[in-house]
Amino acid sequence: MGKKKVLLILFLLGVFMTTSGYGESKVLVNPIENISKDFIKGVDISMVYEVEKNGGKYFDNGVQKDPLQILKDHGVNWVRVRIWNDPYDEKGNPYGGGNCDYKNMTELAKRAKSLGLKVLVDFHYSDFWADPGKQEKPKAWKNLKGKALEKAVSDFTYQVVKYMKDNKALPDMVQIGNEVNNGFLWPDGKLVGDDAGGFENFVKLFNAGVNAVRRVDKNIKIAVHLAEGGNSALFRWFFGNVLSLKMDFDVIGVSYYPYWHGTIDELRENLNSIALWLNKEIAIFETAYAWTLDDADGHPNIFGGDLWKIGGYKPTIQGQATAIRDIMDVVAHIPNNKGIGIFYWEGCWIPVKGAGWKQGEGNPWENQALFDFKGNTLPSLDVFNLVYGKEKITPNPIEVLSEVNIKVSTGEIPNLPEKAKVLFDDDSIRSIKIKWDNIDPKFLTTPGEFKLRGIIEGIQKEIYANIYVSGQKNYIQNPSFESGTLSPWKVEGDISAVKVVKATPPQNAKSGDYALNYWLDKPFKFELYQVIKNLSPGKYKVSFWIQGGGGENLIRFKVSGYGGEDKFIDIINTGWLNWKNPTISDIEVTTGEIKISIIVDGNTGNWAWIDDFELKEQE
């Protein structure tokens, strides 16, 4: 298609063209059917105070402006600010990360209110960052327990909200805690674990904050905020426990980052299900996506490398706009009009020295902001207006991203992927079903390699699987758990700690879609094993892959029952995606069988992913 024709189409579709520091650019955004005019189109602005204090400036079409005015001009109607209790050390030095004390954040909220924007206040109830992995008490509350801690929560919450009201910055919505998947104000408000106060204490602390807000103004909506928007099991578990304890809230806030929290389809399924179950309003409180992989300040960015292949969009201005649009679409179509909007997290966090993740550090987020590195508005910010357009755009497939390489042993049937990832010209990556040709069985009987053709349904593009047949047979059954079940593996001990699941995110599996995961909210012990029979006498070797957080008392890989002394390797996990490949060799089988075991003695919260076992004759 010629350049003139493309430009004409863009003009006819009403696509806005916006100038940024990266030159003239434009985005294509499909309208969202029946999206309401009061749908929340929000941005978390908590870093703006610190960015501006350190000299950061914002521009729209080359003109310097108040960033909040820029947001409003491009369709934003809400802002969000986080509040930390005391983000300064004993000497008065700031921790960084925006130094979000309530007086600074009230100044931002007051500016937003003067522009007609609504305000969501995010109480972390900590002195610094709080998230599912850390929920530390503020320094001043360290030794408080029970009613004294509840009173501290109530008093602080009332003090802040009343101060905001008195300064013409009354919030329209307040969230009690930030990403409280496992509670807050640990250990008192922690949900599970040896030292946890449990759900009952959590709800008492939560309701103490709620009551304080309602004392200031009964019209302020109250929200509870969980991360992992695509994790249906988490939401079912959490709300199944708090509802019977009469936790008081109006809105469910959700964090959903496409590269961390599952697919768009998993998000949709979870939010629709929760809305029908609980009949509560739902909003995305945090989301974001990268518009570039470039780095402005030398501080490593959170979004880098091939993370975009998991996230589902190219790291471009167009990809960022499409991601935001698709997430808005999910929320706008939650049943019974319960989806009320989204907040984009830290959309104004441009790279400015002194405004980093913490004091003395740089910015890990600048490539996910809605402004370029020099503070120029990105065209992707127009998504909040463009979703109200009329003309529908049909994205076209431009590239098949999936590469299918499968290794099998002689006689083993390949596990072919059901879907392929396809890049479209709106910079989205979609998973589309594949119809594979039948495999000629003769190709699997002898070592070698062959190609198998598939057709990607709906777009009629071809894809080929490269299948490599090894002369060595893998004698383990269900070696990679791609059956989605545990059988014929067996578990003795705490079986509730062990499950075969579809890996989310996908890299939690070494290969394929499924892997074995262990985790439990209390200490646990188990033995996972399989007995392989009818083996010919001879030497064998066995291996598998494992990655996990570490901290177990014991992880032992053991073989027994083969006719010789037991052999084992003890393993220490060293972190997420630090895959290890323990291998036991020179196993002289004389009994015709072998027992392969993984023995784990775990502490509360220990976790790992296990995949891709192999038992082969040793050459």
Side-chain angles (χ1 to χ4, degrees):
M1 184 180 293
K3 183 178 180 182
K4 289 183 178 180
K5 190 172 181 182
V6 171
L7 292 174
L8 177 61
I9 290 173
L10 296 180
F11 175 77
L12 292 174
L13 291 175
V15 176
F16 295 163
M17 289 189 247
T18 308
T19 301
S20 76
Y22 278 66
E24 189 174 54
S25 187
K26 45 203 169 289
V27 292
L28 298 172
V29 175
N30 252 321
I32 295 177
E33 187 177 356
N34 297 325
I35 185 170
S36 67
K37 291 296 181 183
D38 59 353
F39 188 87
I40 294 173
K41 300 175 289 294
V43 174
D44 191 306
I45 60 168
S46 303
M47 286 298 302
V48 166
Y49 188 92
E50 206 66 22
V51 168
E52 292 181 330
K53 181 180 175 182
N54 285 276
K57 295 178 173 60
Y58 299 87
F59 304 87
D60 196 16
N61 288 318
V63 179
Q64 184 182 341
K65 293 183 179 180
D66 179 347
L68 277 64
Q69 182 66 58
I70 294 173
L71 295 177
K72 180 180 179 180
D73 291 345
H74 289 264
V76 172
N77 56 6
W78 279 68
V79 297
R80 177 182 187 245
V81 293
R82 63 177 166 272
I83 288 178
W84 293 328
N85 288 48
D86 181 23
Y88 306 91
D89 66 17
E90 290 78 1
K91 297 180 180 180
N93 299 313
Y95 293 147
N99 303 316
C100 301
D101 64 45
Y102 72 88
K103 291 185 178 180
N104 291 347
M105 295 301 102
T106 297
E107 289 302 308
L108 282 182
K110 185 176 180 180
R111 283 167 59 181
K113 283 284 187 171
S114 70
L115 291 171
L117 301 171
K118 293 188 176 182
V119 175
L120 164 63
V121 169
D122 171 15
F123 280 97
H124 280 225
Y125 297 112
S126 63
D127 290 336
F128 205 36
W129 301 105
D131 56 47
K134 56 183 180 299
Q135 296 279 348
E136 296 183 9
K137 285 183 184 178
K139 297 183 292 292
W141 302 357
K142 185 177 180 180
N143 296 318
L144 298 182
K145 297 280 185 183
K147 292 293 184 181
L149 184 57
E150 290 175 38
K151 185 176 186 304
V153 171
S154 177
D155 289 350
F156 178 72
T157 307
Y158 181 85
Q159 175 189 356
V160 171
V161 179
K162 181 67 164 54
Y163 179 87
M164 296 183 77
K165 179 180 181 179
D166 292 345
N167 284 274
K168 299 180 180 180
L170 182 69
D172 301 275
M173 192 188 311
V174 170
Q175 60 177 91
I176 305 297
N178 186 73
E179 296 186 332
V180 294
N181 299 30
N182 196 21
F184 62 3
L185 294 165
W186 291 353
D188 305 70
K190 193 175 185 181
L191 302 183
V192 294
D194 294 337
D195 58 347
F199 278 98
E200 187 171 349
N201 281 345
F202 165 74
V203 171
K204 287 179 180 178
L205 291 167
F206 186 95
N207 284 347
V210 174
N211 293 335
V213 175
R214 299 208 191 280
R215 277 167 51 209
V216 178
D217 192 312
K218 292 182 179 180
N219 294 316
I220 298 173
K221 288 187 175 183
I222 302 294
V224 58
H225 175 206
L226 301 183
E228 300 184 43
N231 188 344
S232 177
L234 166 69
F235 280 67
R236 288 278 171 179
W237 169 75
F238 180 90
F239 287 109
N241 280 281
V242 300
L243 289 179
S244 62
L245 298 172
K246 298 182 180 179
M247 194 171 86
D248 182 10
F249 66 98
D250 308 305
V251 177
I252 299 169
V254 179
S255 288
Y256 175 71
Y257 296 98
Y259 44 87
W260 284 336
H261 296 152
T263 66
I264 283 281
D265 287 341
E266 287 167 335
L267 175 71
R268 181 183 293 107
E269 181 181 347
N270 182 35
L271 299 191
N272 289 354
S273 173
I274 293 299
L276 291 172
W277 174 34
L278 300 179
N279 198 35
K280 294 281 187 178
E281 292 182 329
I282 298 175
I284 298 292
F285 276 9
E286 292 185 24
T287 192
Y289 208 80
W291 59 274
T292 180
L293 293 181
D294 291 346
D295 173 41
D297 62 0
H299 184 85
N301 287 331
I302 288 172
F303 194 118
D306 286 339
L307 201 58
W308 62 276
K309 293 182 179 178
I310 297 166
Y313 304 86
K314 284 188 73 175
T316 62
I317 295 170
Q318 177 65 61
Q320 184 184 58
T322 305
I324 297 170
R325 182 264 169 210
D326 289 352
I327 294 165
M328 291 175 69
D329 184 70
V330 169
V331 178
H333 291 105
I334 290 174
N336 301 325
N337 298 314
K338 292 301 181 182
I340 61 173
I342 77 160
F343 288 86
Y344 192 94
W345 196 74
E346 287 294 8
C348 304
W349 194 358
I350 59 175
V352 174
K353 189 174 181 180
W357 187 263
K358 66 179 182 180
Q359 199 69 18
E361 284 192 1
N363 181 344
W365 202 259
E366 75 266 26
N367 68 331
Q368 295 190 75
L370 297 169
F371 296 81
D372 73 13
F373 298 156
K374 295 181 180 179
N376 297 290
T377 307
L378 291 173
S380 44
L381 184 54
D382 279 322
V383 65
F384 295 115
N385 281 323
L386 292 173
V387 293
Y388 292 96
K390 300 296 183 184
E391 299 291 339
K392 186 171 182 179
I393 304 156
T394 302
N396 297 305
I398 57 175
E399 183 182 355
V400 178
L401 298 179
S402 294
E403 293 183 4
V404 184
N405 297 291
I406 301 174
K407 294 181 180 180
V408 295
S409 300
T410 305
E412 183 181 352
I413 299 173
N415 180 57
L416 295 163
E418 294 180 359
K419 295 181 178 180
K421 290 185 176 181
V422 180
L423 175 65
F424 284 73
D425 58 8
D426 63 352
D427 284 358
S428 67
I429 301 167
R430 308 183 185 194
S431 294
I432 305 177
K433 285 186 177 181
I434 307 169
K435 184 177 181 180
W436 293 102
D437 291 345
N438 293 326
I439 299 175
D440 188 335
K442 71 180 181 184
F443 289 133
L444 301 174
T445 58
T446 56
E449 61 180 88
F450 66 96
K451 290 183 180 292
L452 184 69
R453 189 187 73 127
I455 297 293
I456 302 175
E457 297 181 1
I459 63 173
Q460 300 306 304
K461 281 186 173 287
E462 290 185 335
I463 185 171
Y464 286 87
N466 299 306
I467 301 174
Y468 304 89
V469 183
S470 168
Q472 289 184 292
K473 181 178 178 180
N474 183 3
Y475 290 93
I476 293 179
Q477 298 180 56
N478 195 18
S480 302
F481 308 103
E482 292 304 312
S483 67
T485 64
L486 192 62
S487 180
W489 293 92
K490 298 184 182 300
V491 176
E492 290 185 357
D494 291 311
I495 192 169
S496 60
V498 182
K499 57 186 179 297
V500 173
V501 293
K502 188 173 183 179
T504 303
Q507 63 264 46
N508 277 331
K510 183 61 180 173
S511 69
D513 296 325
Y514 290 84
L516 182 139
N517 169 253
Y518 67 72
W519 176 88
L520 204 59
D521 57 3
K522 61 182 180 179
F524 58 94
K525 296 180 181 180
F526 69 84
E527 179 180 6
L528 168 77
Y529 69 91
Q530 183 177 147
V531 177
I532 296 93
K533 299 186 176 183
N534 301 317
L535 295 175
S536 301
K539 279 190 177 182
Y540 292 78
K541 67 177 179 179
V542 63
S543 65
F544 76 109
W545 290 87
I546 183 170
Q547 55 112 347
E552 292 88 349
N553 299 319
L554 177 73
I555 310 173
R556 177 164 290 177
F557 179 33
K558 187 179 81 169
V559 295
S560 58
Y562 63 90
E565 293 186 1
D566 293 357
K567 291 190 173 191
F568 65 86
I569 296 174
D570 288 341
I571 303 155
I572 298 176
N573 282 324
T574 56
W576 186 52
L577 299 186
N578 290 339
W579 285 100
K580 301 180 186 304
N581 185 215
T583 303
I584 300 175
S585 304
D586 298 320
I587 307 167
E588 190 74 44
V589 174
T590 59
T591 60
E593 65 180 46
I594 186 172
K595 182 181 181 182
I596 297 168
S597 302
I598 307 293
I599 300 166
V600 177
D601 180 355
N603 296 302
T604 301
N606 287 160
W607 62 271
W609 292 84
I610 290 173
D611 208 359
D612 288 4
F613 282 84
E614 283 190 350
L615 174 65
K616 294 184 176 181
E617 294 179 69
Q618 190 166 319
E619 294 177 338

